[in-house]
Amino acid sequence: MDRYRPQVISYLNRKRESKSKSNGLGLTFFPLSIRVDGFGIVNPPLFPRGYVVHVARIDAALDAAALRHRQVVIKSLVLDNPVIHLMSDPDGPWNFENPQASSSQKIFPLEPIASVQIKRGEVTASNLFAVGCSRPSVV
């Protein structure tokens, strides 16, 4: 499964038009799921260095019937120890927004995910001042 990691990262980079990283991919058969270790999405250039999101481990449960038809349908996600840093620029955009991203639904269409579980997560939100400093907000 890990041999597909460059393709997955390339897809995510095109989708978000920013850098993504992963330390490894794995596949389990019982239950049928994809494991992603050390996943992160880097802040866009407008924002300070760092990650929008960094997750120690993601387990994505797959729909076996859809796979038989060459479709990837994620039934549920478990995010283990995610750290999410949301930032707003003084002009309004957020670090997770990507209005210029090209549509890639034909490559890897994603359906709504029925269940997302977060274990030991951390979320911060902040507004950047014009001078580049940030002020955390309570979430």
Side-chain angles (χ1 to χ4, degrees):
M1 186 70 186
D2 206 39
R3 71 177 180 205
Y4 295 108
R5 184 167 42 121
Q7 291 171 292
V8 171
I9 295 302
S10 176
Y11 163 78
L12 291 170
N13 289 344
R14 283 192 316 272
K15 181 82 172 163
R16 288 219 11 101
E17 293 184 359
S18 66
K19 289 187 175 185
S20 301
K21 76 161 192 93
S22 169
N23 293 338
L25 294 176
L27 179 68
T28 59
F29 293 102
F30 300 104
L32 184 59
S33 65
I34 296 174
R35 184 191 73 245
V36 182
D37 293 315
F39 176 76
I41 297 175
V42 177
N43 276 329
L46 179 64
F47 294 91
R49 290 175 45 176
Y51 291 97
V52 175
V53 63
H54 189 268
V55 184
R57 181 175 175 161
I58 301 172
D59 289 305
L62 303 175
D63 184 334
L67 274 180
R68 285 192 293 266
H69 298 1
R70 295 181 175 242
Q71 297 174 335
V72 177
V73 175
I74 299 172
K75 297 189 314 184
S76 67
L77 286 177
V78 177
L79 308 175
D80 190 7
N81 203 21
V83 177
I84 302 167
H85 297 288
L86 306 175
M87 287 184 241
S88 175
D89 182 70
D91 296 328
W94 288 83
N95 62 339
F96 61 85
E97 294 179 321
N98 191 18
Q100 291 84 25
S102 57
S103 177
S104 50
Q105 289 294 314
K106 294 178 185 172
I107 298 170
F108 188 70
L110 284 177
E111 300 292 326
I113 298 170
S115 170
V116 177
Q117 180 183 2
I118 297 175
K119 295 180 178 180
R120 299 176 301 274
E122 176 185 320
V123 177
T124 60
S126 59
N127 296 315
L128 297 178
F129 294 112
V131 293
C133 300
S134 64
R135 176 182 51 172
S137 300
V138 176
V139 179

